[in-house]
């Protein structure tokens, strides 16, 4: 196979059927293929050799009777309690059983799948002392869609995501539950169905499986993939609103944005002009008015700033996805074993809190555009509330209420989780990140923001229809046709929540479509 050009991030094995995990270079586009397209994985042989060396070091420590935290000691405040050699197996089982105390609704199945992939990738770095057989079983789970049922609440984000990851680990020993066709089934039954025995965890393996940041990072990966898609979608939706309101395109002139210098702002302005190319509905300065309100005029500045946040979050996630986050870590063939704090989720906690601000602002400015579309004092002659019979029919009046409710809810969820900390383990673990809470709240905010943008899309579709579909830009006519295929025109009042949920669901599905930054030519 000859490849010319650049294919960002994606490195498949063979004929592009598998993603090769090395512990070193997993990226978000590969995660998109694993999570959204159900791509299978394979394990790098060099990485497995590192894992084997690390495991041999653990076995030497046990046989020599050396006392090392996590191998033959208790955990947390019990780290000074020595464990006899004959009890090291029981120690690992007791660990994951006692720590599997997650509560609340389970993470969605994609998050569970991401957790397995990310924990596996971290262990492939070869610093954790786990057996190759355990990693192969994790890979089997990914490739056969055996996804643990993992409660979403109960993690402090240090010492890592102990409770969520314990629900992952306990599946390996035949306890707990996994997803099957949307239902929860016993893990032991699934292993029986596959003709496999549950694993018996050996020294350090339980700790290696649960001491890490993979719950917050997995939810963070899903958040980023969905937020990136939403940010792109917000641009065509805003462009359609521009058409419905006879927006002024001069504000998107490249010179304006190059004068400020933010690459993301320049890119948003360019894409807005691309969406509006050929439109007969947008205007120039002075044709109808001199300037637009900020929610239209400042789209590149506002959306561009959100893209800057997405860039920061992407960088931190891709570091964490390839990080050794358990404790202790084994170096130099077991000669150096260090108890550190890589399990502390502060970097991802900050990233998720930052992501929340980015998503909140996409929704906030969208709600302001919705108001302009429905308000007869602001909508440039469109029917009041886009109603087919103003007065007799309320039209989109309450859709703006719903959007206002969602953005207000987002403002409460946007409070940073990372500024909180509660000591645990008898004050041994006296500062924690709350990163998993931040990641969960970011996910909730993305769902809210998507629905706000779905409401704007619904109103923009109707507003553009009033103006004349044949006058829309060719690109936006295609979007109009796509969404009208499942969202009828507003000919009369109806239960509009159905329309919003359909649009939102359609938008969410587009998360699986990778956006590439360069052209690729592949010759077979």
């Amino acid at each position: 196979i000859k490849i010319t050009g650049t294919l960002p991030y994606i490195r498949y094995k063979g004929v592009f059927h598998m993603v090769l995990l090395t512990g070193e270079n997993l990226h978000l586009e590969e995660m998109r293929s694993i999570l959204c397209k159900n791509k299978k994985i394979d394990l790098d042989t060099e990485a497995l050799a590192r894992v084997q060396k690390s495991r041999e070091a653990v076995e030497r420590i046990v046989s020599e009777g050396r006392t090392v935290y996590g191998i033959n000691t208790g955990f947390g405040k019990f780290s000074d309690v020595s464990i006899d050699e004959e009890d090291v197996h029981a120690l690992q089982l007791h660990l994951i059983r006692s720590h599997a105390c997650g509560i609340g609704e389970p993470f969605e199945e994609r998050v569970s799948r991401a957790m397995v992939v990310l924990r596996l990738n971290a262990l492939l770095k070869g610093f954790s002392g786990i057996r190759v057989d355990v990693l192969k079983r994790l890979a089997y789970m990914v490739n056969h869609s055996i996804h643990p049922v993992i409660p979403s609440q109960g993690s402090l984000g240090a010492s890592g995501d102990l409770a969520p990851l314990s629900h992952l680990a306990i599946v390996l020993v035949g306890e707990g539950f996994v997803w099957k066709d949307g239902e929860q089934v016993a893990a032991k039954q699934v292993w029986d169905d596959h003709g496999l025995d549950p694993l018996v965890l050996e020294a350090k393996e339980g700790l290696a499986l649960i001491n890490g940041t993979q719950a917050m990072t997995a939810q963070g990966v899903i958040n980023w993939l969905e937020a990136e898609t939403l940010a792109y979608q917000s641009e065509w939706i805003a462009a359609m609103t521009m058409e419905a309101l006879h927006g002024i395109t001069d504000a998107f002139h490249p010179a304006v944005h190059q004068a400020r210098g933010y690459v993301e702002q320049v890119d948003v302005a360019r894409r807005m002009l691309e969406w509006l190319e050929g439109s007969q509905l947008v205007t120039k300065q002075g044709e109808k008015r001199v300037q637009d309100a900020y929610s239209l005029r400042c789209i590149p500045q506002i959306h561009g700033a959100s893209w800057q946040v997405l860039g920061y979050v992407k960088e931190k996630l891709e570091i964490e996805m390839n990080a050794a986050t358990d404790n202790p870590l084994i170096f130099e063939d077991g000669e150096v074993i260090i108890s550190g704090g890589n399990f502390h989720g502060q970097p991802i906690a900050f990233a998720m809190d930052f992501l929340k601000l980015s998503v909140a602002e996409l929704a906030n400015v969208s709600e302001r555009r919705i108001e302009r579309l429905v308000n007869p004092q602001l909508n440039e002659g469109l029917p009041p509330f886009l109603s087919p019979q103003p007065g007799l029919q309320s039209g989109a009046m309450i859709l703006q209420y719903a959007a206002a409710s969602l953005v207000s809810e987002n403002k409460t969820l946007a409070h940073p989780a990372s500024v909180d900390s509660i000591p645990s383990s008898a004050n041994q673990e006296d500062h924690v990140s709350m990163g998993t809470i931040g990641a969960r709240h970011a996910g909730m905010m993305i769902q809210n923001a998507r629905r706000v943008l779905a409401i704007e899309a619904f109103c923009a579709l109707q507003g553009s229809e009033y103006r004349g579909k044949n006058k829309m830009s060719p690109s936006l006519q295609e979007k109009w046709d796509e969404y009208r295929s499942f969202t009828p025109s507003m000919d009369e009042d109806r239960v509009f929540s159905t329309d919003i949920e359909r649009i939102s669901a359609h938008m969410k599905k587009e998360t699986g479509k990778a956006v590439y930054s360069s052209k690729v030519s592949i010759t077979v």
Side-chain angles (χ1 to χ4, degrees), residues 6-28:
T6 303
L7 182 59
Y9 310 130
I10 298 182
R11 296 171 307 286
Y12 291 117
K13 178 188 177 186
V15 289
F16 307 151
H17 291 316
M18 288 189 175
V19 176
L20 183 66
L21 298 186
T22 68
E24 303 290 342
N25 46 23
L26 181 61
H27 294 277
L28 283 162

Side-chain angles (χ1 to χ4, degrees), residues 23 119 121-123 125 214 318-326:
R119 193 73 210 120
N121 194 59
L123 294 170
K125 296 184 75 67
Q214 280 66 44
E318 291 191 331
I319 291 172
E320 196 76 0
M321 285 159 51
N322 296 284
T325 56
D326 54 306

Side-chain angles (χ1 to χ4, degrees), residues 2 341 343 371 472 513:
K2 179 182 179 182
F343 49 71
E371 170 66 10
M472 297 172 69
K513 299 177 182 177

Side-chain angles (χ1 to χ4, degrees), residues 1-2 11 35 71 82 95 132 142 175 180 229 268 270 283 405 409 423 430 459 469 481:
I1 299 175
K2 179 182 179 182
R11 296 171 307 286
L35 301 177
I71 296 178
S82 297
L95 173 70
V132 168
V142 175
E175 300 181 23
K180 184 175 182 181
T229 300
V268 172
R270 172 181 52 79
T283 61
S405 172
E409 181 178 333
D430 56 357
C459 294
K469 179 196 167 187
D481 289 338

Side-chain angles (χ1 to χ4, degrees), residues 169-187:
I170 207 161
V171 166
L172 292 169
V173 302
E175 300 181 23
F177 297 88
V178 300
W179 293 108
K180 184 175 182 181
D181 300 325
E183 302 292 330
Q184 299 184 25
V185 298

Side-chain angles (χ1 to χ4, degrees), residues 20-25 42-54 120-127 130 132 135:
L20 183 66
L21 298 186
T22 68
E24 303 290 342
N25 46 23
D42 197 8
L43 307 182
D44 180 63
T45 54
E46 291 183 8
L48 291 176
R50 295 195 300 266
V51 170
Q52 180 59 32
K53 278 191 173 183
S54 180
L120 173 55
N121 194 59
L123 294 170
L124 279 168
K125 296 184 75 67
F127 298 131
I130 198 166
V132 168
L135 302 196

Side-chain angles (χ1 to χ4, degrees), residues 392-453:
L392 177 63
Q393 301 195 50
S394 295
M397 180 188 295
I398 308 304
L399 286 173
Q400 185 270 329
Y401 285 42
S405 172
L406 291 169
V407 298
S408 186
E409 181 178 333
N410 272 357
K411 292 169 188 175
T412 64
L413 290 169
H415 180 82
S418 57
V419 301
D420 187 25
S421 178
I422 296 179
S424 58
S425 193
N427 237 23
Q428 174 78 355
E429 299 165 6
D430 56 357
H431 182 278
V432 295
S433 75
M434 303 299 183
T436 312
I437 295 173
R440 287 177 42 243
H441 286 180
M444 294 164 67
M445 291 178 67
I446 289 166
Q447 309 312 315
N448 289 343
R450 185 185 294 112
R451 289 186 169 102
V452 173
L453 281 156

